[in-house]
């Protein structure tokens, strides 16, 4: 075997030497980029540029290496080069080891300084004060319900969204015993119950479902009471010594949590972007429909629409809207200008590349 | 600015195209390697080869890119190429999101199939049964005390150690309130108390210290009782809603947990290896000293020596010994042969590359 492998390994070693050389030439140019940016105080991290590079290598990838693998390698290459310009610090909802930390690495690669914070508010404060260059916060979280606090903070903050990251989230059914004997109720956050609805209807149609404050709370209850089953992450289950009855029970196997990257950076168009807004109108019939008319008129697609009760002020609801495209696109700019004219409250949260 | 950046970015794009080309040429050769290995049923993952490549690129790295960053990139390149030969499955002590999972990625890169297991025993069983190609188990764990179970399993298993991984571990002092008002005791696993001794003597010399079963248990106690402070990971603290009084209090800022990679693979010499053994002698004065004499005689350095009470059999202690070098090195082979002659029990756990 060694005879056949040896020449192949020599070829690999030769290729590695060339890659090493190219990596360092790339790093040298990155340093020059850093000097140019320092002169003009331009930002080190350009999400639109990195998104373009990652999309580009996947498009041009002839194989046999997989597109995903190629992107993972290039994310690390950009992360390393960027750290030579300046080490980027990113605040996130700690502690270390959570999905939030995973989101930081997925956006910035490993050559980044993570700053775990105790609360979503602290993530915003760190990025507003400049202690961190960016913050990463859950914006649409299927299990922890953290989205509300993030949305509230988005209304007040001077920060804008410069990117988004999606992370796969899995739910498991767990009990103290690891089986369903004697179980009379299944507990979880209402969103998690909803996300596992089809599976629960098929498998445990007659067991009562109970919505509790969080999936972690459900796990805690199940740890104390053998008649309770919890739907939660296996990480939460392990903390309360639960056994897994069945893993990955969410109806959508591609269930994801979205995180927003917030900072002071205006992201330039990358070619495949979306724009997030918050709007409010006085509460009268037809007002919402009327409000959104400019989007249809200018052919701008709405990819997300979510209403949320206002906690103060003179209107009853805020509407969180995502649209396709960048504020620098003519159609989006015109639609938003008209939309702003109709709205009682209007704030652009940011334009940024659609997550990979 | 754009004028100055544009030519630099074009250079980077040209370099990226070359890197992409080289990555795919490397992947093609990796596929050929896979065919050769398949013919001869040779293993896909060769820890000694990967350790050599990683050491080699760091040694030959001219900069400006950092050695660590270069190694991270090449770990991902090898992981991607290896997954084209065959996707490697690795069992680890779950759930996902723990240090054990981090150890898997640090050894195998991201293009690997992780298999979270509920216990250390199950990790061994998965790798013994061939459900997983390898298992990753904590062998010297500063906080969870898992080491004992791993050491016991090492005595019985047919698996050998084919690699090791070291992961940084941090301890924090935490309470329900986030401050030390009214705190009368500090709880943690005895190993964690020992690791924070100097700091505790300087800062809280008069507060009673209490050893409990695990740091997670300490966190649970602190969550229930405001007079208790816990030393634990921030991840454990967050589960019990504790506030951080002070982070990173361990006396050694480079505190690490070591993990063993176990499997059926005999790792060939990489040039910088160590060998792990278990020994036993009848309990008589001078026996241990005599036992180890062959190491000194053949100039083999001992890097670790740990005794552990036997739970059965005719001797009282097992000795876990790490020595520098590989069993294929002449000096090590001679020393071990003589050592085996002196010992009542003798088992080589494996020779493998020293962790980076």
């Amino acid at each position: 075997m060694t005879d056949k492998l040896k020449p192949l390994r020599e070829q690999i070693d030769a290729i590695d030497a060339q890659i090493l050389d190219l990596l360092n030439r790339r790093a040298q140019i990155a340093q020059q980029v850093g000097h140019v940016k320092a002169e003009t105080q331009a930002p080190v991290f350009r999400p639109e540029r990195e998104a373009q590079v990652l999309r580009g290598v996947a498009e041009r990838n002839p194989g046999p290496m997989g597109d995903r693998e190629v992107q993972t390698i290039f994310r690390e290459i950009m992360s390393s080069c960027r750290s030579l310009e300046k080490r980027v610090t990113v605040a996130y909802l700690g502690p270390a080891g959570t999905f939030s930390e995973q989101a930081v690495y997925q956006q910035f690669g490993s050559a980044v300084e993570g700053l775990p914070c105790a609360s979503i508010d602290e993530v915003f404060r760190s990025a507003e004060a400049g202690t961190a260059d960016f913050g990463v916060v859950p914006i649409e979280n299927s299990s922890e319900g953290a989205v509300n606090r993030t949305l509230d903070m988005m209304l007040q903050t001077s920060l804008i969204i410069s990117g988004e990251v999606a992370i796969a989230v899995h739910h498991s059914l767990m009990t103290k015993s690891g089986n369903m004997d004697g179980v009379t109720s299944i507990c979880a956050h209402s969103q998690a119950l909803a996300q596992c609805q089809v599976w629960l209807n098929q498998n445990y149609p007659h067991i009562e479902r109970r919505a509790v404050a969080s999936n972690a709370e459900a796990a805690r209850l199940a740890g104390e009471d053998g008649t309770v089953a919890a739907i939660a992450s296996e990480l939460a289950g392990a903390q309360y010594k639960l056994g897994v009855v069945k893993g990955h029970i969410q109806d959508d196997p591609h269930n994801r949590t979205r995180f927003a990257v917030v900072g002071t950076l205006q992201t330039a168009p990358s070619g495949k972007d979306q724009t997030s807004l918050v709007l409010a109108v006085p509460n009268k019939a037809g007002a919402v429909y009327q409000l959104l008319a400019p989007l249809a008129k200018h052919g701008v697609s709405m990819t997300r629409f979510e209403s949320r009760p206002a906690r103060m002020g003179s209107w009853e609801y805020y509407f969180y809207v995502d649209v396709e495209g960048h504020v620098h696109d003519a159609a989006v700019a015109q639609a938003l200008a008209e939309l702003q004219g109709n709205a009682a409250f209007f704030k652009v949260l940011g334009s940024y590349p659609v997550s990979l």
Side-chain angles (χ1 to χ4, degrees), chain A:
Chain A
M1 182 197 73
T2 319
D3 289 349
K4 286 191 183 172
L5 279 186
K6 208 174 164 230
L8 295 174
R9 287 194 165 161
E10 282 168 0
Q11 287 180 54
I12 286 179
D13 289 343
I15 288 175
D16 284 353
Q18 291 179 64
I19 293 175
L20 183 61
D21 176 51
L22 287 166
L23 288 176
N24 279 294
R25 277 163 55 195
R26 194 188 198 283
Q28 274 166 356
I29 301 171
Q31 285 181 318
Q32 294 176 40
V33 168
H35 295 318
V36 173
K37 285 182 179 174
E39 278 168 23
T40 54
Q41 298 198 313
V44 167
F45 178 59
R46 303 271 5 172
E48 77 282 5
R49 164 78 181 155
E50 299 203 356
Q52 283 165 346
V53 170
L54 292 179
R55 273 182 222 139
V57 292
E59 275 164 18
R60 284 188 295 275
N61 179 34
M65 192 175 274
D67 292 353
R68 232 195 137 76
E69 283 73 22
V70 162
Q71 287 181 328
T72 301
I73 293 167
F74 271 90
R75 186 180 292 118
E76 285 302 328
I77 293 174
M78 288 192 289
S79 185
S80 299
C81 288
R82 195 198 314 127
S83 74
L84 289 172
E85 296 182 37
K86 177 182 167 290
R87 196 136 182 122
V88 169
T89 299
V90 182
Y92 65 96
L93 184 61
T98 58
F99 285 124
S100 293
E101 190 188 30
Q102 202 181 315
V104 171
Y105 295 130
Q106 189 162 318
Q107 176 78 348
F108 294 93
S110 358
V112 70
E113 209 64 59
L115 181 67
C117 296
S119 66
I120 287 177
D121 295 35
E122 202 184 316
V123 175
F124 276 91
R125 273 198 302 273
S126 299
E128 284 164 356
T131 318
D133 300 300
F134 293 93
V136 167
V137 284
I139 195 162
E140 210 178 32
N141 186 313
S142 49
S143 59
E144 303 301 317
V147 60
N148 290 346
R149 191 62 199 152
T150 299
L151 294 183
D152 288 346
M153 293 299 289
M154 286 291 184
L155 281 179
Q156 308 162 20
T157 187
S158 59
L159 301 176
I160 55 176
I161 301 179
S162 62
E164 70 159 3
V165 190
I167 298 277
V169 168
H170 302 298
H171 293 310
S172 296
L173 182 68
M174 296 172 290
T175 63
K176 219 168 157 177
S177 62
N179 62 53
M180 290 297 276
D181 299 346
V183 168
T184 57
S185 66
I186 297 173
C187 290
H189 187 270
S190 58
Q191 290 185 20
L193 286 175
Q195 287 167 10
C196 303
Q197 193 168 213
V198 173
W199 189 89
L200 289 172
N201 287 347
Q202 278 168 2
N203 291 277
Y204 298 103
H206 302 303
I207 299 186
E208 181 206 11
R209 293 170 212 168
R210 205 141 51 84
V212 294
S214 69
N215 292 347
E217 172 66 11
R220 193 186 64 76
L221 289 171
E224 285 181 354
D225 181 350
T227 71
V228 173
I231 296 174
S233 71
E234 294 194 13
L235 191 59
Q239 291 291 332
Y240 298 99
K241 304 200 184 344
L242 302 184
V244 176
V245 178
K246 179 80 185 166
H248 289 214
I249 64 165
Q250 69 282 350
D251 300 328
D252 174 7
H254 305 299
N255 194 25
R256 287 146 95 88
T257 292
R258 286 173 62 223
F259 292 83
V261 181
V262 294
T264 52
L265 183 68
Q266 292 272 8
T267 304
S270 77
K272 196 176 171 196
D273 302 285
Q274 70 183 24
T275 299
S276 294
L277 319 167
V278 195
L279 305 166
V281 278
N283 185 27
K284 61 180 184 201
V288 173
Y289 177 76
Q290 214 180 319
L291 175 72
L292 299 174
L295 294 176
K297 181 177 155 198
H298 293 282
V300 174
S301 297
M302 189 166 68
T303 53
R304 182 164 160 256
F305 179 85
E306 195 170 308
S307 66
R308 175 160 164 66
R311 298 200 302 188
M312 55 185 92
S314 53
W315 35 85
E316 288 182 44
Y317 285 92
Y318 284 107
F319 301 102
Y320 291 81
V321 177
D322 287 355
V323 298
E324 275 181 14
H326 194 281
V327 286
H328 289 180
D329 300 344
V332 175
Q334 284 166 18
L336 294 194
E338 289 178 30
L339 221 153
Q340 183 164 16
N342 294 348
F345 177 90
F346 176 90
K347 184 181 179 185
V348 176
L349 298 179
S351 289
Y352 49 87
V354 172
S355 69
L356 294 173

